[in-house]
Amino acid sequence: MEKDFKGLANQYKKALLDDVIPFWEQHSIDWEKGGYFTCLDRAGKVYDTDKFIWLQNRQVWLFSMLYNQLKNQPEQRDHWLKVAANGANFLAKHGRDADGNWYFALDRTGNPLVQPYNIFSDCFAAMAFSKYALASNEDWAKEVALQAYNNVLRRKDNPKGTYNKTFPGTRPLKSLAVPMILANLSLEMAWLLPSDQLEEVLAVTVQEVMTDFLDGDRGLMYENVAPDGTHVDSFEGRLINPGHGIEAMWFVMDIAKRRNDTNTINQAVDVVLNSLNFAWDKEYSGLYYFMDAEGHPTQQLEWDQKLWWVHLEALVALAMSYRLTGREACWEWYQKLHTYTWSHFADPQYGEWFGYLDRRGEVLLNLKGGKWKGCFHVPRALYLCWQQFEALS
Amino acid sequence: MEKDFKGLANQYKKALLDDVIPFWEQHSIDWEKGGYFTCLDRAGKVYDTDKFIWLQNRQVWLFSMLYNQLKNQPEQRDHWLKVAANGANFLAKHGRDADGNWYFALDRTGNPLVQPYNIFSDCFAAMAFSKYALASNEDWAKEVALQAYNNVLRRKDNPKGTYNKTFPGTRPLKSLAVPMILANLSLEMAWLLPSDQLEEVLAVTVQEVMTDFLDGDRGLMYENVAPDGTHVDSFEGRLINPGHGIEAMWFVMDIAKRRNDTNTINQAVDVVLNSLNFAWDKEYSGLYYFMDAEGHPTQQLEWDQKLWWVHLEALVALAMSYRLTGREACWEWYQKLHTYTWSHFADPQYGEWFGYLDRRGEVLLNLKGGKWKGCFHVPRALYLCWQQFEALS
């Protein structure tokens, strides 16, 4: 593969604007009841109409983000704001319980199906309404974003609230997801937060991720650790989620770059490379979904599957790593990942990307969207890779 | 395959008594702290010491059941009662919270890890202590069994209690697991219950399973239906769990046989055969784990995997179907299942059976036990198949 960064930028831009965004515009918008359909088969046909709050908010975020980022550029479309509004209005009306907590799922018309059992629905709501407020200039959307953000801050030390099944005290664990999402979310809210509050949250979360969750000897991110950052010999404590660790590292690079903190950038790049070495399937290629740090069997039956978001987050992390450091190892890995990912996940015949492949890279679920895959990781990664290669060219 | 029922009976008996039971006796007993290790690698080595209440109770049940069933026969071993007692004493001391509800998991020494978040821990406790009371003649064990049974009756209409995430009212669903386990459990408790209470529970649960959960047109068991037995077009409402449906059918046959209800027996056999036709993987053989009734993608990423318990429950159901009806279709299917199951799951090299294979029948998790696989489905099925073929020979 040649270092044709202009060509790569164009490949990502074209896939985003001519394939993926039109796919969701054409098949997923529920103009009648509001919000989006995310359960789409290979061709885009709706096979289930339930509305999952993570995915609804992520689609509002995606269309708003794109509208904001491409402002005053020929690629921007007014239609994107209408698509975002169709979700934001539906969510503002139906998405929260009486206390302002965000449900997990609604039926097509907006009746609640699943209670607000953790804070991630609120995280994605804060991200979505922050970007939508910026796009639409609507003050009410700003209020919704700040309310959701405050929910997250209030509930972050007990993200599942009364739904937490862990017996208190026996084996306390903390999860990488919490500081990671807090860092990413706070960046998304940057324009709405006092800058000292923002800088403080960013400093604390990056510090926590790079000390407590990073195992210095192995150079790998652990998914769960004791409150003091030590390892706990249990299924949860041994769990490595390579895609999650790699995604966390580009969040960290993004933050470190704001401060020109090249040490942290280099450390994050090291973790990306270590994670790829650890999680690459040497027999069938691709990255495993879950692994046990000690090589024991995982709890997760889906451990050896190849998931779209893992590979897309790795492409983002590698493109960013290479742009920020120029290290050849990043370019080597990028090429390997690029070849595997584009040839296995993209679906030139019907558009958009497959989500779930088996270990051998064959399609496991013949869909473009479902309960957990919506309009988010594919277009976000395509946009970010486009930007990295644009900057390199 | 010849109809050598004596030979089949011997094959199952030998596997049970010379391979599987010794495997668990040798590797799983925690004589030091009490209870059992269930996380065993291929060779039987312990890789995790947490104690999951379902599996702890199921192992107490299995050793007690075997001790009771083989009473006064040359195969019975006194050691089995010691093994059962090692679990029962540990569980009686550590298994319950202050209100008498059974936890989901403990650490090795018995400290609670996971709260009593549904009634299935209590179900397996009732089964275990009922059979252990019978084996040991201990009155206190009878009390533990009855207390757990009453927990189940009290909580059966809201099995998850405050941990239930479903928003009330929007889309009420009931689950096959509840009547199924109630029928099976009540049979297990038969010697402790007034006979009119027992017969009433059995009649009600069989009726509910064979009308509300059985789809008459397709002849398949649905995993979740509306309270009135109608279908609900959603992920949960379209779910078919073939192994669970087949297991339910041999529970039903077992109960119907007590009453010489040949109509219900024949109806259950039909469902077994329909389920096998529906769930058989025509490309790679074996039975799928989860399916969508309408052919849509499932929520479950593990849908195409081949699981030990699904195949073992199918062997039991087919052996019982054939014994009770003599229908040739049952024998045809039995042979097909037998060939696949014995050649893929049994591990003559290290003993016991693999639990989790991928779609192609290759080992997915190199273990003999874990968080969900313990000393239960393999030996129970071996025992029951032994008995069916013994009766046929």
Side-chain angles (χ1 to χ4, degrees), chain A residues 76-356:
Chain A
Q76 200 212 36
R77 297 283 172 271
D78 286 344
H79 188 248
W80 297 343
L81 188 57
K82 294 198 185 87
V83 170
N86 192 58
N89 293 326
F90 176 83
L91 285 165
K93 191 163 171 196
H94 301 293
R96 291 164 292 177
D97 71 9
D99 299 326
N101 294 309
W102 285 80
Y103 291 115
F104 180 78
L106 311 174
D107 69 10
R108 185 183 168 190
T109 56
N111 299 304
L113 284 171
V114 181
Q115 301 278 15
Y117 71 84
N118 70 33
I119 60 170
F120 295 105
S121 292
D122 301 77
C123 284
F124 295 118
M127 287 170 59
F129 282 86
S130 167
K131 285 287 187 273
Y132 178 68
L134 204 57
S136 67
N137 225 347
E138 299 274 13
D139 276 340
W140 66 265
K142 219 186 282 188
E143 292 309 310
V144 175
L146 285 167
Q147 186 214 21
Y149 185 70
N150 288 326
N151 281 349
V152 175
L153 294 184
R154 182 170 46 80
R155 295 173 58 193
K156 75 180 165 52
D157 295 323
N158 187 12
K160 293 186 186 167
T162 59
Y163 297 95
N164 184 5
K165 299 176 198 161
T166 306
F167 189 89
T170 307
R171 185 188 288 162
L173 283 175
K174 61 181 187 180
S175 153
L176 174 61
V178 175
M180 216 181 119
I181 201 96
L182 209 61
N184 183 239
L185 170 59
S186 302
L187 265 191
E188 290 291 331
M189 303 281 295
W191 73 289
L192 288 171
L193 300 179
S195 93
D196 54 342
Q197 185 187 349
L198 173 67
E199 293 306 326
E200 155 109 33
V201 171
L202 295 181
V204 168
T205 51
V206 168
Q207 165 80 6
E208 188 180 3
V209 168
M210 298 310 271
T211 54
D212 288 357
F213 291 95
L214 174 57
D215 178 295
D217 297 331
R218 294 166 180 258
L220 293 175
M221 300 300 304
Y222 277 59
E223 199 61 19
N224 301 290
V225 295
D228 67 357
T230 54
H231 292 315
V232 177
D233 187 17
S234 66
F235 281 107
E236 292 77 14
R238 293 187 302 266
L239 185 65
I240 306 283
N241 180 334
H244 207 213
I246 290 169
E247 187 184 12
M249 289 306 97
W250 76 250
F251 288 4
V252 166
M253 286 182 223
D254 215 20
I255 295 166
K257 196 184 156 279
R258 287 164 57 96
R259 316 174 176 168
N260 299 312
D261 174 356
T262 49
N263 273 351
T264 300
I265 291 175
N266 270 308
Q267 204 187 2
V269 171
D270 288 339
V271 178
V272 170
L273 298 174
N274 288 333
S275 303
L276 294 168
N277 275 315
F278 185 73
W280 184 254
D281 180 348
K282 287 169 190 69
E283 202 169 345
Y284 297 106
S285 298
L287 298 166
Y288 291 122
Y289 188 13
F290 292 110
M291 301 180 80
D292 183 288
E294 306 300 327
H296 299 315
T298 59
Q299 276 188 74
Q300 290 81 5
L301 302 188
E302 64 273 31
W303 74 274
D304 70 349
Q305 295 175 10
K306 309 295 162 65
L307 267 71
W308 85 107
W309 68 266
V310 172
H311 293 76
L312 284 155
E313 297 306 324
L315 287 178
V316 172
L318 285 165
M320 198 181 283
S321 295
Y322 185 65
R323 175 170 74 90
L324 295 179
T325 68
R327 285 164 61 175
E328 276 307 306
C330 302
W331 177 246
E332 294 300 322
W333 262 112
Y334 175 81
Q335 294 172 80
K336 194 163 161 177
L337 248 299
H338 178 106
T339 305
Y340 179 84
T341 305
W342 280 87
S343 64
H344 285 83
F345 288 99
D347 181 14
Q349 197 176 343
Y350 288 92
E352 240 275 339
W353 291 40
F354 293 112
Y356 303 89

Side-chain angles (χ1 to χ4, degrees), chain A residues 39 47-48 50 52 103 107 111-115 117 162-168 170-171 233-236 238 284 289 296-305 307 356 358 360 362 364-367 370-372, chain B residues 39 47-48 50 52 103 107 111-115 117 162-168 170-171 233-236 238 284 289 296-305 307 356 358 360 362 364-367 370-372:
Chain A
C39 296
Y47 66 84
D48 194 282
D50 283 352
F52 304 101
Y103 291 115
D107 69 10
N111 299 304
L113 284 171
V114 181
Q115 301 278 15
Y117 71 84
T162 59
Y163 297 95
N164 184 5
K165 299 176 198 161
T166 306
F167 189 89
T170 307
R171 185 188 288 162
D233 187 17
S234 66
F235 281 107
E236 292 77 14
R238 293 187 302 266
Y284 297 106
Y289 188 13
H296 299 315
T298 59
Q299 276 188 74
Q300 290 81 5
L301 302 188
E302 64 273 31
W303 74 274
D304 70 349
Q305 295 175 10
L307 267 71
Y356 303 89
D358 69 13
R360 293 169 189 248
E362 292 177 16
L364 177 76
L365 292 174
N366 198 19
L367 57 70
K371 183 171 173 182
W372 302 102
Chain B
C39 296
Y47 65 85
D48 193 283
D50 284 352
F52 305 100
Y103 291 115
D107 69 9
N111 299 305
L113 285 170
V114 181
Q115 301 278 13
Y117 71 85
T162 59
Y163 297 95
N164 184 5
K165 300 176 198 161
T166 307
F167 189 88
T170 308
R171 184 188 287 162
D233 187 16
S234 66
F235 280 107
E236 292 78 13
R238 292 188 303 268
Y284 296 106
Y289 188 13
H296 298 316
T298 59
Q299 277 188 73
Q300 290 81 7
L301 302 188
E302 64 274 30
W303 75 275
D304 71 348
Q305 295 176 9
L307 267 71
Y356 303 88
D358 68 13
R360 295 170 189 245
E362 291 177 15
L364 177 77
L365 293 175
N366 198 20
L367 56 72
K371 184 172 173 182
W372 302 101

